[in-house]
Amino acid sequence: MDVRYSVNPKDFKRYNTEEVRKEFLITGLFQPDAVTATYSHVDRMVTFGCMPVNETVSLDKGIDVWHNFGTKFILERREIGIFNVGGSGVITADGTEYKLGYKDCLYVTMGTKEVTFRSDDSAKPAKFYMVSAPAHKPCQTKLLTLKDARKVPCGKMEEANDRVINQFIHPDVLETCQLSMGMTALKPGSVWNTMPAHTHERRMEIYFYFEVGDDDVVFHMMGQGDETRHIIMHNEDAVISPSWSIHAGCGTKNYTFIWAMGGENKTFDDMDDIKKVDLK
């Protein structure tokens, strides 16, 4: 497991490109028949990736659960949200099977002991992208498709940010402890997400970019509003955003991203907007 510690925003101002990428960028999420995991000490969020090809893969494969979590199983005191961004596949949670197609989402409650993944077709393997947060009570494990998501149109074509926010794991859709997740799709001709930029002191966020072309990239902006940095993101890269950092991106073409949030509250208008003209 890759462990990332918290970063002081004052120290961040002195980071070079390599240091910024080492602390915040998550790459190589999908390895054949393996589980990758990045533990962030920012709100103790964990990002997982799993691409089952020829095997049924357990969530804890290759992970020393007691050493990393201090529990008997990963979800003993955690909840997890899972999106499939590959071919169709099946997740089994404590004996119950859930079939996920492309862009389907599964919320799995705290207390679930066994979670396994398999693909329907090894030639087109599923790719399960996951984010887990600490939890304090059991909720209901639930499968959500795109039609179940709460849809919020945003932006304008004239401002190159015409997009739809699909809220899956969200207080208006289902109950969770603290985890919120959704998927934002930019329309053709739009390249900006989350602009004007903002921060939210009581929540952190993780972005996962996909449907990024082989010859395209996304410039992900982070840092405090008066001294920003950028990270070049490729397809299926993720990035950690502490509460003190903006999180906005501009692509060389339209793309889709999955956002995950955890922290002290789930109030979506609890944010501090930064005017575009005040960004530096």
Side-chain angles (χ1 to χ4, degrees), residues 140-152:
Q140 181 183 358
T141 296
K142 188 172 183 179
L143 175 65
L144 299 162
T145 66
L146 189 58
K147 64 181 174 59
D148 299 317
R150 181 174 181 263
K151 296 171 178 58
V152 182

Side-chain angles (χ1 to χ4, degrees), residues 57-253:
V57 181
S58 175
L59 177 63
D60 60 5
K61 182 177 181 180
I63 296 174
D64 185 336
V65 177
W66 178 255
H67 175 75
N68 287 286
F69 297 100
T71 55
K72 295 179 181 178
F73 53 95
I74 290 177
L75 299 184
E76 184 175 337
R77 295 198 296 267
R78 286 184 161 270
E79 58 189 352
I80 194 168
I82 307 168
F83 276 86
N84 182 14
V85 295
S88 62
V90 175
I91 300 174
T92 303
D94 279 352
T96 301
E97 292 190 349
Y98 301 90
K99 187 175 179 61
L100 276 72
Y102 187 58
K103 296 183 179 179
D104 287 346
C105 173
L106 180 68
Y107 169 79
V108 182
T109 182
M110 181 192 88
T112 305
K113 292 182 178 180
E114 295 183 357
V115 181
T116 63
F117 309 94
R118 74 173 188 266
S119 295
D120 290 338
D121 183 354
S122 61
K124 298 179 181 178
K127 294 180 179 180
F128 296 109
Y129 169 73
M130 302 168 265
V131 177
S132 174
H136 61 276
K137 68 174 185 177
C139 296
Q140 181 183 358
T141 296
K142 188 172 183 179
L143 175 65
L144 299 162
T145 66
L146 189 58
K147 64 181 174 59
D148 299 317
R150 181 174 181 263
K151 296 171 178 58
V152 182
C154 287
K156 301 176 182 178
M157 183 60 68
E158 295 82 0
E159 297 178 356
N161 64 356
D162 191 5
R163 63 200 190 277
V164 177
I165 301 174
N166 299 283
Q167 298 171 336
F168 284 79
I169 301 174
H170 182 277
D172 292 335
V173 180
L174 81 165
E175 181 186 17
T176 68
C177 291
Q178 65 162 311
L179 182 65
S180 297
M181 291 182 74
M183 180 173 61
T184 300
L186 278 71
K187 296 183 179 180
S190 287
V191 294
W192 279 101
N193 69 62
T194 322
M195 185 58 65
H198 62 264
T199 60
H200 23 75
E201 280 293 321
R202 286 151 291 278
R203 289 181 293 165
M204 67 87 73
E205 196 154 3
I206 299 170
Y207 275 10
F208 167 79
Y209 290 97
F210 70 113
E211 296 187 329
V212 178
D214 292 341
D215 295 325
D216 292 302
V217 298
V218 177
F219 290 76
H220 179 85
M221 315 296 177
M222 65 176 303
Q224 293 176 304
D226 61 353
E227 191 164 346
T228 60
R229 302 287 187 273
H230 72 265
I231 299 179
I232 301 295
M233 309 287 296
H234 297 273
N235 192 45
E236 299 176 350
D237 283 349
V239 60
I240 300 166
S241 178
S243 59
W244 47 263
S245 175
I246 68 167
H247 33 280
C250 182
T252 54
K253 197 176 180 181

